[in-house]
Amino acid sequence: MTSDTRTQTQTTGSCCSGSAASSGGCSDTGAVTTVYAVTGMTCGHCEGAVSEEVSALPGVSSVKAEAATGKVTVTSAAPLDEEAVRAAVDEAGYELTGRA
């Protein structure tokens, strides 16, 4: 991990976006969202391959991979072991460089 790599981990829930969050009407579901930096993704197929492998990890409820930014946003029931995420990304054929 480089010195300019930042960690973004936050507790979120499906109600925590839009007007519910701004009105204070959000209830905490305990989900954890973490953004990872992945190199090598160049297209939708790449995004799908990474999403499929990371989605198979226990506790993962959603994955959004973005080839244009190299970011993979993962929502899970609890914080994930970064080495497990790294292995899943590696299995897909790409490289996890740390957290974004």
Side-chain angles (χ1 to χ4, degrees):
M1 189 171 354
T2 63
S3 61
D4 65 338
T5 302
R6 290 171 289 172
T7 300
Q8 179 184 14
T9 302
Q10 61 189 25
T11 302
T12 64
S14 60
C15 67
C16 293
S17 61
S19 63
S22 63
S23 67
C26 181
S27 63
D28 184 5
T29 62
V32 176
T33 299
T34 308
V35 181
Y36 298 95
V38 174
T39 59
M41 295 187 300
T42 59
C43 65
H45 172 57
C46 301
E47 294 169 346
V50 170
S51 294
E52 182 178 343
E53 291 296 333
V54 175
S55 291
L57 295 173
V60 172
S61 57
S62 73
V63 179
K64 181 179 181 187
E66 298 178 66
T69 63
K71 293 182 180 178
V72 178
T73 304
V74 181
T75 303
S76 56
L80 298 172
D81 174 41
E82 190 166 318
E83 288 309 309
V85 177
R86 185 178 310 281
V89 170
D90 184 61
E91 182 67 26
Y94 305 93
E95 181 182 0
L96 181 121
T97 58
R99 294 188 185 188

